[in-house]
Structure formats: C-alpha cells, structure tokens
Amino acid sequence: MWKQFLGKISQKSLKSGSGGRGSPLQKSPPSCGANGAKAELRASPPPQASAVAAAPGSETREDVFLRKLNVCCVVFDFAAERGRDSPDVERKRQVLVSLVDCVSGAEEPLTEAMISACVRMFAINLFRVFPPKLHSGGATDEDEPFFDPSWYHLQVVYELLLRFVMSPVVDVKVARKYMDNSFISRLLDLFDSDDPRERECLKTVLHRIYGKFMGNRSFIRKAVSNIFYRFVFEADHYNGIAELLEVFGSVISGFAKPLKEEHKLFLWKALIPLHKPKTVGVYLPQLTYCITQFIEKEPKLTGTVIRGLLKYWPVTNSQKEMMFLGELEEVLELTEMADFQKCVVPLFRRIAQCLNSSHFQVAERALFLWNNKHLFDLISQNRQVILPIIYPALERNARWHWNQSVLNVTMNVRKMFFDMDERLLLTCETNFQAEEKRRAASEERRRLVWERLERNAAFQSVTGDIGFAVPPTSAPLVAPAMT
C-alpha cells in the first residue's frame, strides 16, 4: 500500500515539473546548467569524431582511386634500397595490391580520368632504360639469368596492367586514346629486359592487348617486325625474341584464309631471316611453330620456306646444322607433292653435303630423314631425280666415313633404294664408278704436270731477279693524244 501511494506522488510531481505530456528530453527547452550540458554531450557525437566520419562520405570513388594512383607514381631506387626497409616501399606495394583488387572487383565503368591516371602510372613505373652492361651477355648470363631488384613493385604493376586490359569496366575506345601507338612501342621495348619474369608477364599482357585493342593490331605487327629487323641486321642481341614469337604463334593461328599479302611478307622478310643469327637455338622451337602455322594456313608457302632455309643454311656450325635438319623435317611433313617437286634438286644437294659431313651427328641426323614415312613416300615417287644426287654421298660414306654408326645407317639407306629400284641403283653405281675413274685420271694428269714443273725449276739456273718483268725504255708509257 505504501509503495502504491509513493508511486502516485512521484507521477504527479513529474507531470507538474514537465508542464505537459511527453518525454522531458523532447519537450523541455535546452538547459545551460551543468547537468544539461552533460546530457547534450551524451546525445551527440564529439565535433572531431563527426568531422572524421564525414570525410570518406564527401570523397568520391574517383577521388580515392586517383589518390592511390598518385601514391604509386613514386618510383624507388631498389639498387640503393635492397633491404626494402623503407616504410614507403611497403606502403606503395600495399596500395598497388588494393588497386588490383579494386579493378578486379569493379562493377561500375572507370571514368576517363581514372583510365588516364592508370596509363600514366603504368608508364612511370614500367618504362625505363636498361643498363648497357646487362646486354653484354655470354654463356654465363644465359646460365644465370639476371633478376631485377625492383621486381618487388614491378610484379604488382604488371598484374594491375593485366587486370586493367582484361577488365570489362574499361572502355576500349577511351583506353585507346591513352594506350596509343607510342605506349605500345615503349611496351615492346621492354621485351629486351634481362629478367625472364618480366618478359613472361609482358608476353601475357601483349597477347591480351592484341586481342582487345583491334585497332592497334597492324601497328603491333609492324613494330614487332622492326624489332626482328634490328635483331637480325643490326644488334645481333635481343632478349625477348622467344617470347615475341610465342605471342605471334597464336596470332598467326588466327589469320583468316586466304592469307593477306602483308602476312606473307611478314613470313619472308621477318620470320625466315631469324635463322641467320648464331643464337637461333634459343628461340628455334617458337620460330618453327610460327612457320608451320603459315604452311598449315597455305601449303603453297612450303617452297618459300625451304628456299629460305637453304639460303641461311649454316656451313661451319654443326650444332646449328642439326637444328636446321630437324626443322626441315617438320616442314617436309607438311609438304605436298607438287610443292616438293619444285625444290627437290637444291634441297637434296644440300642433304647430300650433310651426309658427307665429318661431324657424325650431322651425317646421322641427315640419314634419319629416311625414317620419316611421309618423306620416304615423297622420295620414292621422285627417286629418278633424287637417287643420282644422293648416291655419290652414300657411296663415299660407305667407303671412307670414320663413324661406325653412320656406316650402318648408310648401308640401311642403300638397301632401301635397292629394294625400291634395283636397276636405278645399279645405273647410279656405274655412273659413280665412271666418274671416279675420270676424277682419278684428272688428278693423275695434274700430278704429272706439277712434277714436270718441279723438275724444270730444279735444273734451270737462276741468273737474276726475275720476280717481275721491266718494260723496255723505248716503249711509250702514255698513249699519244689523238689530233
């Protein structure tokens, strides 16, 4: 009972103090006393906290993106800071990683200002001049590749560039305004980097750019052709030839049939001369793949390729000659009969020289061509032309070659021709013996002539210096002028 009484008194006092119904915080006027000030602080956040909370809301998505890109435009000298102890170095990497996530997960299209800033950041970080000392490579440089110390940042920049090119939120028309021919040309120059990791990233980026920026395809092909020209005829050293050929292997496979004249010129003037440098072994698999892609697109180009191989065929480099024989076999596997007959004579003259090579691996590799079923069929149908060219080389190997393995394979090839056409083989043998007799008789006559000259020189007395004849003094030295 006392509790109920006291509760009614407290309710009456609250109503009289409020002057009406409702909550005292909503209806009472603001108080200037100490208790009122505390209530007001509890109801609203502090001024500093509200200002900090409002800052991200006032900054747009574009402003945040551009601010991060500006942070990444600072380039550090990793040659002087190998320890990466600077906090700014790690901060830049973290910002780059956040930009990669931002571009990968973006749903709204990037504005033109954002695209322009991205391309500017790529140019600042990637485009640089390589030290000349890194280009004086040798065998040690190939065994121990150089690794760029700035790869700590370059790796993330290349990842961002790849995501940028592949992203569907990047407008191609806007991006082409900034990733123009100049940008692509400087990007291609980076293929000369000594770091294989950078060249691998560039290979993927170039392939994506070629696929997405269709308006730049013609320029990319011309720029790569110029790189090949400089490498073959001027520099004789370029690190990224294998990677460029690997990109163009997939590009050539996408050429439409029939091939354009521009593409055929690229084969004859850019790809085939790449057989000339001494370092062809570094990129020969990629080069062979590109050439076979052309032949598959247009088989009539086989004659062009074979003539190019014969033009740049090595003479003193046995290892290179073995590589040429391997590539020649791959080309001949794609050759049709009509194209084979056009180049059969110069081709088998070169093969005959390889059969008589003193380097047993070259001779053995040339003999192994007969193990190829398609090539064996081509030879058997053209044996009337091929066997007279090949038989002298086979006979010399059987008589005088020093390597037993070469002798055994030579006898097997002779047996193949014997089973193929015994009468033709015996005719070639007869002609070879007659030619050997004529050659022996010619050598004997030459020997007798030299012996007679030596006898005459031994019995003739030397009375003076007869090294040169002096014209008589009566002879006029200048022809008389016509009057």
Side-chain angles (χ1 to χ4, degrees):
M1 177 178 268
W2 284 102
K3 291 181 179 180
Q4 294 177 358
F5 179 75
L6 292 174
K8 291 180 180 180
I9 295 174
S10 62
Q11 290 177 4
K12 290 181 180 180
S13 62
L14 287 173
K15 289 179 180 180
S16 62
S18 60
R21 295 179 182 179
S23 173
L25 292 176
Q26 293 176 355
K27 299 294 183 178
S28 61
S31 172
C32 295
N35 294 333
K38 289 182 181 179
E40 193 172 331
L41 288 174
R42 285 195 299 267
S44 61
Q48 295 181 355
S50 62
V52 173
S58 62
E59 195 173 19
T60 63
R61 164 177 170 263
E62 179 179 324
D63 295 335
V64 175
F65 194 83
L66 296 177
R67 179 165 50 83
K68 290 184 176 182
L69 288 174
N70 288 331
V71 173
C72 298
C73 288
V74 179
V75 180
F76 296 92
D77 185 7
F78 280 83
E81 301 177 14
R82 291 185 177 274
R84 305 178 192 156
D85 295 332
S86 174
D88 295 332
V89 172
E90 185 61 31
R91 177 170 175 259
K92 178 180 176 180
R93 181 180 173 84
Q94 295 301 325
V95 174
L96 285 169
V97 172
S98 68
L99 286 172
V100 171
D101 297 335
C102 179
V103 174
S104 302
E107 297 180 356
E108 299 180 7
L110 299 184
T111 64
E112 183 171 353
M114 297 165 71
I115 294 175
S116 172
C118 280
V119 176
R120 174 175 173 271
M121 190 274 292
F122 295 145
I124 291 174
N125 283 272
L126 298 179
F127 300 156
R128 60 205 189 278
V129 179
F130 298 117
K133 60 181 179 180
L134 300 180
H135 289 176
S136 58
T140 56
D141 290 341
E142 294 178 2
D143 296 339
E144 299 179 1
F146 169 80
F147 296 106
D148 197 330
S150 60
W151 185 248
Y152 188 67
H153 282 169
L154 290 177
Q155 180 183 11
V156 193
V157 175
Y158 276 115
E159 179 67 21
L160 179 58
L161 175 57
L162 180 61
R163 299 294 179 90
F164 177 83
V165 174
M166 296 173 57
S167 177
V169 300
V170 176
D171 190 352
V172 177
K173 293 182 179 179
V174 177
R176 278 194 63 193
K177 293 171 58 179
Y178 304 99
M179 298 182 70
D180 53 2
N181 292 342
S182 176
F183 181 91
I184 293 175
S185 179
R186 297 183 68 184
L187 189 70
L188 289 173
D189 291 338
L190 296 176
F191 274 93
D192 200 18
S193 171
D194 292 87
D195 195 331
R197 302 169 299 180
E198 183 171 10
R199 299 198 301 269
E200 192 68 22
C201 290
L202 284 165
K203 178 183 68 176
T204 307
V205 170
L206 179 62
H207 187 269
R208 297 296 182 182
I209 290 177
Y210 190 91
K212 190 168 184 177
F213 296 84
M214 301 180 65
N216 298 99
R217 289 183 176 182
S218 177
F219 175 79
I220 292 175
R221 290 195 297 267
K222 291 179 181 178
V224 172
S225 299
N226 291 333
I227 290 176
F228 291 160
Y229 298 153
R230 290 197 304 268
F231 169 64
V232 173
F233 302 108
E234 295 178 9
D236 201 26
H237 179 87
Y238 197 88
N239 289 313
I241 298 296
E243 287 79 9
L244 287 172
L245 288 172
E246 192 169 345
V247 173
F248 268 76
S250 59
V251 170
I252 294 168
S253 63
F255 284 166
K257 298 180 183 179
L259 292 175
K260 297 179 181 179
E261 192 65 27
E262 173 197 352
H263 300 157
K264 296 178 183 179
L265 289 176
F266 178 76
L267 169 66
W268 176 249
K269 293 187 175 182
L271 292 184
I272 291 180
L274 287 174
H275 292 88
K276 179 181 178 181
K278 295 181 291 185
T279 57
V280 64
V282 177
Y283 53 84
L284 185 63
Q286 293 86 352
L287 178 60
T288 304
Y289 178 76
C290 291
I291 289 176
T292 53
Q293 288 294 308
F294 268 106
I295 296 176
E296 289 178 359
K297 293 285 183 181
E298 191 166 331
K300 292 183 179 180
L301 292 174
T302 307
T304 301
V305 173
I306 292 177
R307 287 194 298 271
L309 286 174
L310 297 177
K311 178 180 180 181
Y312 296 104
W313 197 276
V315 178
T316 59
N317 191 334
S318 300
Q319 296 298 325
K320 190 175 177 182
E321 198 167 5
M322 291 172 58
M323 291 187 286
F324 270 54
L325 287 168
E327 182 179 2
L328 178 64
E329 183 176 3
E330 292 189 35
V331 171
L332 290 174
E333 284 182 353
L334 304 173
T335 305
E336 298 177 355
M337 180 61 67
D339 301 313
F340 180 77
Q341 291 174 346
K342 294 178 181 178
C343 57
V344 63
V345 174
L347 173 62
F348 279 88
R349 283 176 181 170
R350 173 56 63 183
I351 292 177
Q353 295 177 3
C354 295
L355 292 176
N356 290 142
S357 175
S358 58
H359 195 292
F360 78 97
Q361 290 179 331
V362 174
E364 194 174 43
R365 185 66 184 85
L367 290 166
F368 283 160
L369 293 175
W370 273 260
N371 293 337
N372 189 295
K373 186 178 183 304
H374 178 70
L375 183 56
F376 182 79
D377 293 339
L378 293 175
I379 293 173
S380 62
Q381 297 180 42
N382 296 273
R383 58 183 180 273
Q384 298 291 339
V385 179
I386 294 174
L387 187 55
I389 300 173
I390 291 294
Y391 185 82
L394 295 175
E395 190 67 26
R396 292 189 186 97
N397 273 0
R399 293 185 182 184
W400 300 305
H401 205 283
W402 62 273
N403 187 268
Q404 187 62 40
S405 176
V406 173
L407 292 176
N408 295 336
V409 181
T410 300
M411 299 308 296
N412 292 336
V413 173
R414 284 189 59 181
K415 187 176 183 304
M416 289 180 186
F417 279 113
F418 184 82
D419 298 338
M420 192 185 304
D421 194 335
E422 179 181 357
R423 183 178 178 181
L424 178 61
L425 183 69
L426 294 177
T427 302
C428 292
E429 183 178 2
T430 303
N431 293 337
F432 175 76
Q433 291 175 355
E435 182 65 27
E436 285 295 304
K437 288 181 180 179
R438 287 193 295 269
R439 186 177 62 82
S442 176
E443 289 182 357
E444 181 65 19
R445 287 195 301 270
R446 186 181 300 110
R447 186 183 63 82
L448 293 176
V449 169
W450 277 106
E451 286 183 355
R452 185 171 66 254
L453 290 174
E454 289 175 355
R455 287 195 303 268
N456 293 340
F459 287 108
Q460 184 178 2
S461 59
V462 180
T463 58
D465 188 5
I466 56 174
F468 62 94
V470 180
T473 54
S474 60
L477 297 178
V478 181
M482 299 295 295
T483 57

